[in-house]
Amino acid sequence: MAAKTIAELDLQGRRVFIRVDFNVPLTPAGGVSDATRIRESLPTITHAIERGARVVLASHLGRPKGRAKPEFSLLPVAAYLAEALGRDVVLADEPAGDGAKKVVNDLRDGGVAILENLRFTPGEEANDENFSRTLASYADVYINDAFGTAHRAHASTVGMVKYVSSKGVGFLMDREAKMLSKLIGDVQRPFVAIIGGVKVADKIGLLESLLSRADAVCLGGAMANTFLCAKGVPMGHSMVETSKLPIARAFLAKAEAGGVRVVLPRDLVVATDAKSLTGTVIPATSVPDDQAAFDIGPDSAAEIASVLSRAGTVFWNGPMGVFEAQPFAAGTIAVAKAMAQLMGATTVVGGGDSVAAVHRAGVAANITHISTGGGASLEFIEGKKLPGLAALES
Ligand code: ADP
Ligand code: MG
């Protein structure tokens, strides 16, 4: 059975442990540089406060590799949160132990505490039994609202869950699961996927799963370079994952056999390096030796827009080029705008850089769903069961 939501659980006077994703970028001075992830969990936290819960928040931040490191402290997060909630937020000085226990025990109804960075102990990522049990001892109710880590089986996302009888998802997690579910199973057709960015290895699982579900797959970014190279196009010194050429060839062959349309760039924007102030548009038949492809060209963007114009469902992950640099942003911005113009289609964007690109294009309000999870959204759409969600099903 599907997981319960926090709205269905009795919270009054109970210690409600909420696993949040407060893995936010920090400024060099140690402030929160982008609080999106904190803001996105506010509805869940506020709901718990209003229901009279004793709120215990827990998150990881960065990669402190199992040791307490001050530069990865959740202190700036706790300060931001206190400001946003307009109430005290007590930060325990450790994720688990006597200090953490005391902070939790001292909570009053409607009070908020946050444990120190979960990854200050190796038990978190190791999904250690003892650490899981200790975390569970702080919880009468367990809520997971950390979609971004739902694909990881850690102590705070999986290990502790079996020791807490009352459990469910927060509003953010619930929305992610409901919206991303629209892309698996019975989708509104045609289903078009646009995959760009880098790292064929990270995305090949998704690409293969799309072969049996999508009507068209449009490729861009460095991803497309590898596929163009696999088709024999000389790519100059473009970023190409040569070790992934066999996988790319196999994918193209399977797509052809299965009748899935693969749209590869027909033109490219090339330059000597990504710092160049201008790029040159060339047909995607041969990139000169001293040049590299940093964006798809205008004809490619127009072709993708035309495929999109008929779509019923669209999923986009990975920019079409080095969109951070103005001369190579046009392809990515054009795709974002084409997606935002669709009426009646379900449009979903996932992946840190792709989401940033959608905001940069100024079209976020016209996208059906912008996923907060990078790896987690890719695995969900690939059809994998996320351990963090599976643990909550009863
Ligand atoms: P996401 O975070 O949305 O999953 P990725 O991390 O896979 O996306 O890819 C984003 C990165 O890919 C960006 O930093 C962008 O500069 C880079 N990129 C896209 N196209 C190219 C290209 N042709 N050459 C080099 N880098 C590229
Ligand atoms: Mg990225």
Side-chain angles (χ1 to χ4, degrees), residues 25-371:
L26 299 177
T27 63
V32 175
S33 74
D34 179 355
T36 310
R37 285 182 168 158
I38 304 178
R39 281 200 305 273
E40 269 163 342
S41 270
L42 288 177
T44 301
I45 298 169
T46 308
H47 174 86
I49 295 169
E50 283 168 358
R51 293 294 169 93
R54 303 174 176 207
V55 181
V56 181
L57 301 171
S59 177
H60 72 285
L61 174 69
R63 299 177 187 276
K65 307 222 166 105
R67 292 203 350 252
K69 292 190 186 140
E71 67 272 30
F72 294 110
S73 169
L74 284 169
L75 190 62
V77 171
Y80 180 94
L81 190 61
E83 181 85 31
L85 294 171
R87 62 175 60 225
D88 287 343
V89 173
V90 187
L91 175 68
D93 60 3
E94 53 187 2
D98 292 341
K101 190 172 166 187
K102 176 158 174 22
V103 165
V104 172
N105 287 344
D106 287 350
L107 273 175
R108 294 165 183 244
D109 296 358
V112 181
I114 177 163
L115 303 177
E116 189 46 287
N117 193 338
L118 292 165
R119 292 192 188 167
F120 278 4
T121 156
E124 166 64 357
E125 287 176 273
N127 194 12
D128 173 75
E129 268 312 303
N130 278 330
F131 185 57
S132 296
R133 258 194 236 121
T134 308
L135 289 179
S137 74
Y138 307 149
D140 301 314
V141 177
Y142 172 87
I143 298 295
N144 194 340
D145 211 22
F147 182 69
T149 40
H151 59 318
R152 304 273 181 242
H154 293 165
S156 67
T157 59
V158 171
M160 69 180 286
V161 183
K162 58 182 172 296
Y163 299 115
V164 189
S165 57
S166 179
K167 56 192 170 227
V169 292
F171 297 123
L172 171 63
M173 183 77 107
D174 188 44
R175 192 175 69 241
E176 288 278 9
K178 288 208 173 98
M179 294 309 299
L180 296 180
S181 294
K182 293 187 189 230
L183 301 192
I184 48 183
D186 226 353
V187 302
Q188 195 188 328
R189 294 198 175 274
F191 177 16
V192 178
I194 308 166
I195 308 293
V198 287
K199 279 266 188 187
V200 174
D202 285 358
K203 301 185 182 181
I204 189 67
L206 173 67
L207 283 171
E208 301 231 310
S209 81
L210 287 169
L211 282 178
S212 57
R213 297 182 298 149
D215 299 290
V217 178
C218 307
L219 299 175
M223 180 71 56
N225 293 347
T226 302
F227 284 82
L228 287 171
C229 185
K231 290 191 82 163
V233 177
M235 291 304 291
H237 63 258
S238 304
M239 187 189 276
V240 169
E241 288 176 73
T242 36
S243 67
K244 297 295 175 296
L245 291 173
I247 290 178
R249 277 189 206 105
F251 173 85
L252 292 170
K254 273 188 241 166
E256 194 171 342
V260 178
R261 181 169 172 201
V262 176
V263 179
L264 280 167
R266 32 171 91 181
D267 57 353
L268 296 164
V269 181
V270 299
T272 46
D273 64 81
K275 293 198 172 63
S276 302
L277 296 178
T278 54
T280 309
V281 177
I282 61 159
T285 44
S286 174
V287 176
D289 282 349
D290 61 340
Q291 308 267 307
F294 294 117
D295 194 11
I296 59 171
D299 287 353
S300 309
E303 186 179 19
I304 295 177
S306 136
V307 174
L308 283 178
S309 68
R310 292 182 291 273
T313 305
V314 181
F315 175 64
W316 179 25
N317 166 266
M320 299 293 99
V322 182
F323 75 102
E324 301 92 333
Q326 199 271 329
F328 311 112
T332 303
I333 302 292
V335 167
K337 289 193 170 155
M339 207 171 151
Q341 267 172 14
L342 301 180
M343 307 289 253
T346 300
T347 51
V348 177
V349 179
D353 293 290
S354 321
V355 170
V358 166
H359 286 291
R360 184 148 160 217
V363 298
N366 296 321
I367 303 292
T368 314
H369 181 62
I370 296 182
S371 179

